[in-house]
Amino acid sequence: VQLQASGGGLVRAGGSLRLSCAASGTFFSIHSMGWYRQGAGKQRELVATITSAGGTTYADSVKGQFTISIDTATSRVYLQMNSLKSEDTAVYYCNLNYYPDYTHRPLLSLWGQGTLVTVSS
């Protein structure tokens, strides 16, 4: 199973970007997917997560600004980022929690390679 993230880039403050992450390979089902970010000199932090049923969680810092969505048919997760600020500059990592087979055991977790988002002021 692999994750491929895309959509990062350079954007001016106030602008928008949409990140996409696709899971490929053989697995039974998705439990949840999410986005995390790591700024320079900082620890990796949660941005948003979404379950296969559509339940979402957001970091307080991005509530009302970012929107996470999932397409379980294509095993993709998206992060719509609006009103970007310089403090949103970071490498954004996609995370997948999935079940490898019908027994739903174990629950496995996988990280993508990261995509850089740079917000210029």
Side-chain angles (χ1 to χ4, degrees):
V1 180
Q2 293 183 326
L3 291 175
Q4 182 66 47
S6 61
L10 175 63
V11 64
R12 289 187 177 183
S16 298
L17 279 177
R18 188 189 193 212
L19 304 183
S20 175
C21 178
S24 62
T26 301
F27 55 94
F28 182 72
S29 66
I30 293 172
H31 173 272
S32 59
M33 299 185 79
W35 290 96
Y36 293 72
R37 67 185 180 187
Q38 187 168 15
K42 298 180 180 180
Q43 291 188 331
R44 189 174 299 188
E45 62 177 3
L46 178 146
V47 176
T49 65
I50 187 167
T51 68
S52 59
T56 58
T57 60
Y58 291 93
D60 288 342
S61 59
V62 305
K63 284 180 180 177
Q65 182 189 0
F66 291 2
T67 302
I68 190 170
S69 59
I70 192 170
D71 183 343
T72 54
T74 59
S75 302
R76 290 178 180 267
V77 64
Y78 303 95
L79 185 69
Q80 179 65 43
M81 305 186 293
N82 298 327
S83 304
L84 284 162
K85 313 165 191 174
S86 57
E87 51 262 44
D88 295 317
T89 295
V91 177
Y92 284 71
Y93 295 91
C94 174
N95 173 253
L96 165 69
N97 297 301
Y98 67 101
Y99 300 109
D101 61 42
Y102 71 95
T103 64
H104 284 198
R105 294 189 182 92
L107 178 63
L108 302 179
S109 186
L110 184 68
W111 292 91
Q113 85 285 6
T115 184
L116 176 63
V117 172
T118 303
V119 184
S120 64
S121 56

